[in-house]
Amino acid sequence: MKKLIYVLSFALMVILEGSPVSAQVENEGIRFDSISFAEACAKAKMENKLVFIDCYVKTCAPCKMMSRKVFPQKICGDYFNSRFINLMKDMDEGEGPELRDRYGVKVYPTFLFIAPDGDMVLKYGAGAEKNAERFVSNIENALKAMEMYTEYSYGRNDIAFLGDLVSRLLKFDIRIAGEVIDKSLADAPAEVFADSVIWEALPKSINRTDGPAFRRMFDIRKQIGDITGRDSILGALVKTYSDEFTYRQHDWYDYNRRVNDLSILCAENAPGAVALRCKVLFFGEIKRKGSVRAVIDALEMLKNSEVDQTSLADALMQLRGVGGIVTTQSERDAVRAGLTDLLKGLEGTNRTKIERIIATL
């Protein structure tokens, strides 16, 4: 009876005040309260809920799309209204700037979930989502992930739990997922790395080969390979080095270490290791005005290895600018000869690109 009276009273208030919330009530979507943040926290404490804040600015088109197309959907109303005190706050007006600075809001839309005491439970800045069902699912997953992350912080790290946590984190915060992987797998046995969920998550959560988890994986690759298969682990290692090459311009990227690691993988006949080793070496030597001898030796290595045309051309393209590090005619001739020999394995545009490099020598 009390609930019925509350619903009727709320409906009457909306009608009398002409509140803009009325459209969302009619559409059974999210009901946003026109109250202050402090009032929302007090209300959340009383009702044992969290505060949800849609952080927007007037110039944000995706924010407007969420407000018009997603928030009014029934699935959003069913999920949000029963769990949260819902607020919309312009980050450029009123108490918006204070909330923006307090919770580090930098992109729009950002969705904040705040405990009644003001502590941030979740900052979801993964962007707008046109599909209301997917939006609710994403938020539900993120909140569950942060709940599990709290458990993890208190020491829970069994394999099944860890796999579930990382899988959830990868859907909205790869950085935190990487931190969990690095901390949890720094001393882990091969069986943990080979767990199907962990194994699937590794390529998505590790993007640096000098992190604790990757170094552990590299060091115990033979034991992991006994479980996953030799080619599987070696392929995963090479792919991580390949993906990481994207960050080669960063100061932390240590060329010598990467080349040394890849040399080890070359000796173990890891698929793709030879071309990638030479690719990293070429770029590194030219960037640092390094050793022409190392370049010449790498060209010889490519000549004596079975490398597919695409990988070969990709590696040789890193030699653009090689003319800037040769100092003698004999060095120039040796580099030209090495490239000319390798042209035999190239066709079409790949061949043309390398011919242009040779023409600069």
Side-chain angles (χ1 to χ4, degrees):
M1 186 66 182
K2 288 183 178 179
K3 183 176 181 181
L4 177 60
I5 293 172
Y6 172 80
V7 172
L8 291 173
S9 299
F10 181 82
L12 180 61
M13 177 187 71
V14 170
I15 292 170
L16 292 175
E17 295 185 6
S19 169
V21 178
S22 60
Q24 288 166 334
V25 172
E26 181 181 335
N27 291 323
E28 302 180 291
I30 301 177
R31 295 191 297 269
F32 288 96
D33 290 342
S34 299
I35 57 179
S36 70
F37 176 60
E39 290 170 328
C41 287
K43 187 175 179 181
K45 183 177 182 180
M46 185 182 305
E47 298 182 18
N48 194 28
K49 295 180 177 180
L50 297 178
V51 176
F52 163 61
I53 308 177
D54 168 37
C55 302
Y56 73 95
V57 291
K58 289 185 175 66
T59 55
C60 171
C63 300
K64 296 175 183 177
M65 182 278 295
M66 293 294 295
S67 181
R68 290 197 310 267
K69 304 290 187 181
V70 180
F71 295 156
Q73 297 297 316
K74 183 178 186 302
I75 189 172
C76 290
D78 289 345
Y79 181 76
F80 280 79
N81 295 337
S82 62
R83 293 169 173 82
F84 314 114
I85 304 302
N86 305 302
L87 300 178
M88 273 187 175
K89 293 294 181 181
D90 186 334
M91 295 292 103
D92 288 334
E93 295 182 0
E95 59 185 346
E98 180 182 349
L99 292 171
R100 178 192 64 208
D101 295 343
R102 178 175 179 179
Y103 295 111
V105 177
K106 297 180 180 179
V107 297
Y108 303 102
T110 287
F111 308 115
L112 296 177
F113 295 83
I114 310 297
D117 62 2
D119 286 347
M120 184 168 66
V121 175
L122 170 68
K123 178 168 65 178
Y124 189 90
E129 171 55 64
K130 295 179 181 179
N131 184 288
E133 185 175 350
R134 192 157 48 237
F135 173 65
V136 169
S137 177
N138 290 344
I139 294 299
E140 192 171 24
N141 170 77
L143 285 167
K144 180 62 177 178
M146 297 313 295
E147 178 186 324
M148 294 175 68
Y149 184 72
T150 300
E151 290 186 64
Y152 165 78
S153 300
Y154 281 102
R156 185 175 178 185
N157 63 353
D158 54 278
I159 295 179
F161 173 83
L162 191 62
D164 189 16
L165 170 59
V166 172
S167 296
R168 289 178 180 277
L169 287 172
L170 283 171
K171 294 177 182 178
F172 82 99
D173 198 323
I174 294 177
R175 179 187 58 81
I176 299 179
E179 290 175 0
V180 171
I181 284 289
D182 269 340
K183 184 177 179 180
S184 302
L185 272 59
D187 298 304
E191 290 76 15
V192 174
F193 282 92
D195 175 78
S196 59
V197 178
I198 297 292
W199 183 252
E200 184 179 348
L202 286 174
K204 304 170 187 175
S205 54
I206 295 179
N207 57 20
R208 285 182 59 167
T209 63
D210 52 6
F214 184 87
R215 296 319 306 173
R216 177 63 174 171
M217 183 165 68
F218 188 92
D219 291 342
I220 62 170
R221 60 191 179 280
K222 184 179 183 305
Q223 295 94 308
I224 298 174
D226 289 341
I227 303 173
T228 66
R230 178 180 174 280
D231 287 348
S232 181
I233 179 60
L234 293 180
L237 292 171
V238 172
K239 185 179 186 306
T240 305
Y241 283 104
S242 180
D243 293 344
E244 184 195 42
F245 189 67
T246 305
Y247 303 100
R248 60 191 178 276
Q249 297 283 14
H250 290 240
D251 291 339
W252 53 258
Y253 191 92
D254 185 335
Y255 293 96
N256 289 336
R257 182 170 193 173
R258 273 68 177 177
V259 170
N260 289 339
D261 286 350
L262 287 165
S263 296
I264 293 171
L265 297 179
C266 287
E268 297 177 8
N269 297 315
V274 170
L276 182 58
R277 174 192 178 276
C278 295
K279 179 180 177 179
V280 174
L281 183 144
F282 291 154
F283 188 92
E285 296 302 334
I286 291 174
K287 177 180 173 64
R288 299 175 302 178
K289 304 293 183 183
S291 168
V292 179
R293 183 71 258 170
V295 170
I296 296 169
D297 289 345
L299 289 170
E300 187 67 19
M301 184 181 195
L302 285 171
K303 179 182 175 182
N304 296 323
S305 304
E306 293 185 9
V307 179
D308 66 89
Q309 182 176 159
T310 301
S311 297
L312 176 60
D314 192 32
L316 295 179
M317 282 300 294
Q318 303 306 317
L319 286 173
R320 288 168 296 186
V322 67
I325 66 171
V326 296
T327 56
T328 67
Q329 188 59 44
S330 61
E331 289 177 345
R332 194 176 303 275
D333 291 342
V335 173
R336 185 186 293 114
L339 285 169
T340 302
D341 281 341
L342 289 168
L343 272 180
K344 300 171 186 176
L346 299 175
E347 299 175 350
T349 56
N350 286 331
R351 183 183 182 91
T352 301
K353 290 175 182 178
I354 306 310
E355 286 176 335
R356 289 173 182 165
I357 294 176
I358 294 174
T360 65
L361 293 169

